[in-house]
Amino acid sequence: MAEGGKGSPYEEALDALSSLITKRSRADKSNKGDRFDVLFDYLKMLDLEDAISQMKIIHVAGTKGKGSTCTFAESILRNCGFHTGLFTSPHLIDVRERFRLDGVDICEEKFLAYFWYCFDRLKEKTNEDIPMPTYFRFLALLAFKIFAAEQVDVAILEVGLGGKFDATNVVQAPVVCGISSLGYDHMEILGNTLGEIAGEKAGIFKHGVPAFTVPQPDEAMSVLEEKASQLDVHLQVVPPLDDNLLNGQKLGLVGDHQYLNAGLAVALCSTWLQKTGHSEVSYLGQTNPLPEQFIEGLTTASLQGRAQIVSDPYIDTERTGDLVFYFDGAHSPESMEVCAKWFSLAIKEDSQQQILNYQPQDNSQSSHEWVQRHLDKTAEKNSAQILLFNCMTVRDPNVLLPRLLKTCAIHGVHFKKALFVPNVSVYYKVGSHSLPPTDSQVDLSWQFTLQRVWENLMQTNKGGEDKSADVDEDLKVDTAICVRNGENSAVFDSLQLAIKWLRDSVQQNKSIRFQVLVTGSLHLVGDVLRIVKK
């Protein structure tokens, strides 16, 4: 094991992992580690070639929904009785989230053993021509080591970026492949058209290996079909799952779009079961009932940071729910629209729940008295919707933020304030101890850009808003705590200060319930979850 380092053995491993994070952008082709073929050298160094060739793998790429599809698939096959391994990205709070065994994050003890096996062996065998793998590549190699050593029945792999040159694509013979919904994302790497993006994602297709996708735009679908034809791949388009198949239950992951991902997961699992000789629990099509194990898997699947609601446990007020965070890692135009719809409906459900909370426990009160009591109570609390936002510099806020605002407005939701903060990940560190001091000098030029886009949008849309003057008056931000305060927004130089302002505001404004949408970046979602759940 490597020597030195402060703190626990786990923090020591995270420091070593942090040393592999390159400060180059992912679009920078000057890094020697960008050579795809070097991954096969790493596999030899770790003695993983035979193990990977024997793994029964489900491989999934896509722009949106690939993590959800993999989560559904893992849950289905686990409920069918199989020993599962799931590799996803990014992690939100702890890097061990990326490696799940039977639906649970790998334990610290096993993580450390496999981590140092891989790290030390690679450190010993790499050289100037074959340098240490970069951060994500190392994590993918570590996943293969974990799943091989743990002898999983099925390994479900989510592509990190693209497909063709992704580290997970060292897999030569998966059992089945999937492509979730395609859209515009990572265009600086994958191309500027849907066709180019589809071509990169189709890079996971392997000769003769069956593949499934969901309905796609024509431009993307024609490329997927062409690539499939070249490789003798039987490509099938899967419709969204019919919710009648769930026997009145709901999917474990929230949102109408999840029926698309669930349908894809069902097709992948059915094919995996058939191809591996387990057709007794397979599902043959929409006209048949879903096996109980499939229903259980679909309805109990869970994924942090996607349509997740968490009340701040650190607020000392009369009633819980005075500061509630609504987390969704949306970062593409399409997913931003889905996120906005979910948030708008979720806060309306929350308001209705507040009404139910006041419902009389007996029948002694007349309905008139109950309604009056409810009206009196709800009059005490105004709701203020706050946006806590950041996105990567390769994304276009002029596309993302208007989608968010417009969809929320359609549902009658208007933000009282937008808070812009840098991601903690800007510090190139992994681990719980990597939160920066609040007085760090951080480049906030991107956050100022986001703020300008927001203020311009708010000025343009001002006429159509139904804003509460009382709430606005109560949400002034002291320039002593934020870097730049705008009419409808504020930039903070750290996430901790933004959270502190929210908590202070709740204490100072007892008549307001704060509903905070955290979106734009899964890294930001993870950073906030780490603070709120610490």
Side-chain angles (χ1 to χ4, degrees):
M1 187 183 285
E3 296 178 1
K6 295 178 181 179
S8 69
Y10 188 61
E11 296 290 4
E12 185 183 337
L14 296 184
D15 283 338
L17 180 58
S18 295
S19 72
L20 303 178
I21 298 177
T22 171
K23 296 188 181 185
R24 290 185 177 91
S25 84
R26 285 183 288 184
D28 184 354
K29 297 291 188 272
S30 67
N31 187 350
K32 276 189 177 180
D34 286 338
R35 301 195 324 252
F36 182 73
D37 58 343
V38 80
L39 281 158
F40 296 96
D41 294 308
Y42 298 141
L43 294 182
K44 285 179 185 172
M45 293 173 187
L46 296 171
D47 293 328
L48 284 172
E49 294 166 295
D50 289 344
I52 290 178
S53 68
Q54 292 168 27
M55 270 184 210
K56 295 178 172 63
I57 290 168
I58 295 176
H59 199 190
V60 182
T63 306
K64 306 179 298 293
K66 60 183 185 290
S68 298
T69 299
C70 288
T71 300
F72 279 132
E74 185 282 327
S75 188
I76 289 170
L77 292 176
R78 173 162 39 88
N79 278 280
C80 287
F82 294 100
H83 179 26
T84 62
L86 173 65
F87 176 61
T88 58
S89 59
H91 64 272
L92 297 183
I93 298 175
D94 190 312
V95 72
R96 291 181 296 114
E97 295 164 29
R98 295 172 183 251
F99 317 94
R100 304 192 94 188
L101 296 168
D102 298 325
V104 179
D105 301 350
I106 188 171
C107 69
E108 201 170 294
E109 184 182 3
K110 284 184 176 180
F111 175 85
L112 287 173
Y114 296 133
F115 176 88
W116 288 115
Y117 171 88
C118 293
F119 192 88
D120 288 343
R121 184 166 284 213
L122 288 169
K123 202 76 175 170
E124 178 190 335
K125 298 193 173 191
T126 49
N127 54 45
E128 195 174 317
D129 290 328
I130 303 175
M132 279 291 281
T134 49
Y135 175 71
F136 181 78
R137 287 184 169 187
F138 178 84
L139 293 175
L141 293 164
L142 178 56
F144 288 125
K145 174 61 184 174
I146 291 169
F147 298 156
E150 294 292 319
Q151 299 182 308
V152 297
D153 296 322
V154 56
I156 299 152
L157 307 177
E158 177 193 359
V159 165
L161 177 62
K164 186 177 181 181
F165 297 115
D166 186 73
T168 60
N169 205 33
V170 293
V171 172
Q172 299 299 292
V175 174
V176 62
C177 295
I179 307 281
S180 64
S181 297
L182 298 179
Y184 292 100
D185 199 11
H186 298 298
M187 286 156 4
E188 77 286 1
I189 302 169
L190 304 180
N192 293 312
T193 69
L194 273 181
E196 289 174 326
I197 290 169
E200 288 292 323
K201 308 287 185 184
I204 70 167
F205 289 166
K206 300 298 184 299
H207 193 274
V209 173
F212 293 88
T213 189
V214 297
Q216 306 281 9
D218 291 343
E219 183 185 355
M221 188 62 80
S222 62
V223 172
L224 293 181
E225 288 170 344
E226 182 188 348
K227 297 284 185 185
S229 175
Q230 291 168 1
L231 291 167
D232 194 26
V233 167
H234 182 50
L235 177 65
Q236 289 181 255
V237 180
V238 185
L241 186 76
D242 182 347
D243 64 351
N244 291 320
L245 292 168
L246 296 175
N247 293 346
Q249 298 185 68
K250 290 186 175 180
L251 291 174
L253 305 182
V254 178
D256 292 344
H257 61 294
Q258 293 295 359
Y259 286 91
L260 208 56
N261 302 324
L264 180 56
V266 165
L268 293 170
C269 291
S270 296
T271 300
W272 185 90
L273 288 162
Q274 289 167 17
K275 297 267 288 181
T276 55
H278 298 284
S279 53
E280 70 277 3
V281 285
S282 194
Y283 170 66
L284 300 173
Q286 294 281 356
T287 55
N288 297 285
L290 267 180
E292 276 303 314
Q293 301 98 315
F294 277 52
I295 294 174
E296 184 70 15
L298 290 166
T299 56
T300 59
S302 64
L303 193 58
Q304 275 204 118
R306 278 78 164 183
Q308 183 180 6
I309 304 173
V310 179
S311 290
D312 189 354
Y314 294 96
I315 293 297
D316 182 24
T317 55
E318 294 175 14
R319 198 174 66 217
T320 58
D322 284 346
L323 176 56
V324 181
F325 292 95
Y326 295 77
F327 295 101
D328 195 88
H331 50 266
S332 70
E334 298 87 353
S335 58
M336 196 59 68
E337 202 167 302
V338 171
C339 165
K341 182 180 177 184
W342 163 74
F343 174 65
S344 302
L345 297 176
I347 62 174
K348 285 180 182 175
E349 281 182 18
D350 181 52
S351 298
Q352 289 166 0
Q353 190 60 46
Q354 294 295 325
I355 296 173
L356 293 174
N357 288 344
Y358 304 132
Q359 200 161 356
Q361 298 302 307
D362 54 54
N363 296 321
S364 59
Q365 288 179 290
S366 70
S367 58
H368 173 76
E369 288 173 321
W370 178 81
V371 169
Q372 191 56 52
R373 182 180 174 215
H374 153 62
L375 290 172
D376 291 344
K377 282 281 188 183
T378 51
E380 295 171 11
K381 291 275 179 183
N382 282 314
S383 291
Q385 287 79 49
I386 309 289
L387 176 65
L388 181 54
F389 188 91
N390 193 32
C391 64
M392 291 172 62
T393 53
V394 294
R395 309 202 192 282
D396 186 357
N398 290 293
V399 176
L400 298 182
L401 291 173
R403 284 275 187 110
L404 178 68
L405 263 179
K406 183 178 179 182
T407 307
C408 284
I410 289 170
H411 290 86
V413 173
H414 303 280
F415 293 98
K416 310 305 177 188
K417 204 83 174 177
L419 315 180
F420 298 102
V421 295
N423 285 352
V424 173
S425 53
V426 75
Y427 294 90
Y428 305 105
K429 293 283 282 181
V430 184
S432 58
H433 66 315
S434 66
L435 291 174
T438 52
D439 60 352
S440 293
Q441 292 300 307
V442 186
D443 178 7
L444 295 171
S445 55
W446 178 244
Q447 282 66 43
F448 293 146
T449 298
L450 297 174
Q451 184 181 38
R452 278 194 299 275
V453 172
W454 182 262
E455 290 291 351
N456 289 339
L457 283 169
M458 295 300 282
Q459 289 302 320
T460 305
N461 298 331
K462 213 164 191 180
E465 286 197 29
D466 175 24
K467 298 181 83 176
S468 164
D470 292 338
V471 171
D472 284 340
E473 194 60 37
D474 287 328
L475 293 188
K476 299 293 184 189
V477 186
D478 187 351
T479 49
I481 193 170
C482 78
V483 179
R484 183 182 291 173
N485 188 22
E487 185 181 347
N488 306 286
S489 62
V491 172
F492 294 83
D493 64 9
S494 80
L495 176 58
Q496 292 93 320
L497 284 174
I499 301 290
K500 181 182 186 308
W501 176 78
L502 284 166
R503 288 171 172 168
D504 290 348
S505 297
V506 170
Q507 299 289 0
Q508 293 160 12
N509 301 284
K510 302 293 187 184
S511 63
I512 302 176
R513 293 174 56 246
F514 287 75
Q515 297 166 320
V516 184
L517 175 61
V518 184
T519 191
S521 161
L522 271 168
H523 295 290
L524 175 64
V525 166
D527 293 341
V528 180
L529 274 169
R530 190 183 292 125
I531 292 173
V532 173
K533 287 189 161 188
K534 200 168 183 179

